[in-house]
Amino acid sequence: MHPEFTPVSFLAALSLLLPLPSQWRARNVATLSIIAWLFILNFVYGIDAIIWSNNVNIVVPVWCDITSKIIIGSTFALPAACLCICIHIEHVASVNRGRTLLSDKCTRQLFELFMCFGLQMVSMGLHYIVQGHRFDIIEGYGCRPATYVSIPAIFLIWLPPLVLSALLSSISLRRRSKFARHLETSRNGLTTFRYFRLMLMAIVEMIWNIMVTSYTLWFVAMDVRPWTNWDDVHWDFSRIDLYPAAFMPKIALTNYYLVWWVVPASTFIFVAFFAFGKDAVNEYTACMMWIRRNVSSRCFAIPAEKAKARKIFDALNAN
């Protein structure tokens, strides 16, 4: 139904490998978590598009159990990681913190690990409160988490990412242009260019996430149901709802289509900021030089050695 889904998903996943070496070397937990979450989501979307391209068959239910929870956790991942980047920028740019101790760095990394992975695990667990049944299968899109749309679901699933993006990130992102000279002279490894690149990326991702979350919240708010009691919400919990495209309203199909593109678009926005920076370009140059030294030289050396051996062989035969 959507033949572009699979190649776009895998292309987006592969593009995340471009900024990975430089970010891994920097041990930046927040940016590495963004790469990890986006890579997993793109991979999941690509596989789902292959399996459920034109059907709603229950093929691999365990896969759906896992991926539906991953999708729930991912809604917290991007705003939480951007918040960690904002806090780090605020910390580094502060003239009152001229040095960063090793203990401070370890504390920051532990905090970022919780915000970028622990918080998502908590959200996956809390989702069970408003999980009406096992999961849904939508034709062309694959497995999606099942949520009983109600007031508790809004506060547990959709409102926290919006608060993280709109409130906490905006508080952490104060303009710090007056600290440009301080950044250049300090030994924190964050130059003015890298500082503004991180800040701009966080702002763009924050605005993008606010738009997406607000749209999703608006869409689900049109079908809010009353919360009666636990047994009623979780009645027949093991069922799997199937949604063939032919029986779905057009507005629902349009919503799924727009929401699907959020993950590849977020990926390409992130790659645009990190895959073409100075650090990444230096990585590409070093990689090309290594290939030139170790691969190309061997490829040219083998014909030369063969030619030399051939001359020796001909000389021996002549004698």
Side-chain angles (χ1 to χ4, degrees):
M1 187 171 63
H2 293 288
E4 73 278 9
F5 279 1
T6 299
V8 169
S9 295
F10 290 136
L11 178 62
L14 290 176
S15 68
L16 289 165
L17 300 179
L18 294 175
L20 178 60
S22 59
Q23 298 303 317
W24 179 264
R25 188 172 291 108
R27 296 295 190 270
N28 193 326
V29 176
T31 53
L32 286 174
S33 71
I34 294 176
I35 293 175
W37 281 103
L38 290 177
F39 182 87
I40 293 172
L41 283 176
N42 280 293
F43 181 79
V44 168
Y45 278 19
I47 296 298
D48 282 4
I50 294 174
I51 298 177
W52 288 282
S53 176
N54 293 297
N55 66 87
V56 289
N57 299 328
I58 304 175
V59 183
V60 278
V62 176
W63 166 269
C64 292
D65 288 328
I66 297 172
T67 57
S68 60
K69 289 299 181 181
I70 289 175
I71 292 174
I72 288 295
S74 68
T75 59
F76 290 78
L78 194 58
C82 289
L83 175 60
C84 291
I85 293 174
C86 297
I87 294 175
H88 178 53
I89 290 174
E90 195 76 8
H91 175 84
V92 172
S94 176
V95 294
N96 296 324
R97 301 299 300 270
R99 293 183 178 181
T100 300
L101 301 177
L102 181 60
S103 59
D104 294 336
K105 184 176 181 180
C106 293
T107 302
R108 176 175 66 86
Q109 289 180 339
L110 290 175
F111 171 75
E112 292 180 354
L113 281 172
F114 170 76
M115 290 294 293
C116 297
F117 296 101
L119 188 63
Q120 288 71 24
M121 300 300 174
V122 173
S123 69
M124 293 178 194
L126 292 176
H127 175 250
Y128 180 71
I129 298 175
V130 293
Q131 184 178 358
H133 52 275
R134 194 170 173 183
F135 55 81
D136 298 331
I137 297 179
I138 296 94
E139 182 180 352
Y141 299 90
C143 311
R144 291 297 182 269
T147 303
Y148 183 83
V149 182
S150 57
I151 298 299
I154 291 176
F155 279 93
L156 288 175
I157 305 300
W158 293 289
L159 198 57
L162 188 62
V163 172
L164 281 175
S165 300
L167 180 60
L168 299 179
S169 295
S170 61
I171 292 175
S172 298
L173 268 177
R174 294 198 296 259
R175 292 187 177 182
R176 291 281 183 165
S177 58
K178 62 182 179 180
F179 295 107
R181 184 176 301 177
H182 165 69
L183 291 172
E184 292 290 356
T185 57
S186 61
R187 295 182 178 180
N188 49 45
L190 188 63
T191 63
T192 304
F193 175 77
R194 295 177 65 185
Y195 163 70
F196 281 109
R197 185 184 65 182
L198 283 171
M199 185 176 67
L200 184 60
M201 188 278 295
I203 292 175
V204 171
E205 292 286 4
M206 180 184 67
I207 295 174
W208 171 250
N209 194 73
I210 289 174
M211 292 172 56
V212 171
T213 309
S214 299
Y215 169 77
T216 305
L217 186 58
W218 167 80
F219 184 81
V220 299
M222 294 189 296
D223 189 30
V224 175
R225 288 170 284 179
W227 177 278
T228 53
N229 56 67
W230 180 273
D231 293 334
D232 187 24
V233 171
H234 294 83
W235 178 81
D236 194 16
F237 183 81
S238 61
R239 82 176 188 274
I240 300 171
D241 287 353
L242 310 177
Y243 295 93
F247 298 97
M248 293 181 65
K250 186 176 180 180
I251 186 173
L253 291 174
T254 303
N255 174 71
Y256 279 118
Y257 183 77
L258 293 176
V259 171
W260 187 93
W261 279 99
V262 169
V263 174
S266 301
T267 302
F268 293 134
I269 291 173
F270 176 82
V271 171
F273 278 100
F274 285 93
F276 304 103
K278 184 178 179 181
D279 297 337
V281 173
N282 291 337
E283 292 283 346
Y284 308 151
T285 305
C287 182
M288 293 299 296
M289 293 298 294
W290 183 89
I291 293 175
R292 184 178 179 180
R293 288 194 308 267
N294 296 275
V295 179
S296 300
S297 59
R298 291 182 181 179
C299 292
F300 286 112
I302 291 174
E305 292 176 358
K306 287 183 177 180
K308 185 177 180 180
R310 182 66 181 177
K311 288 181 180 179
I312 295 173
F313 180 76
D314 292 340
L316 292 174
N317 289 336
N319 295 330

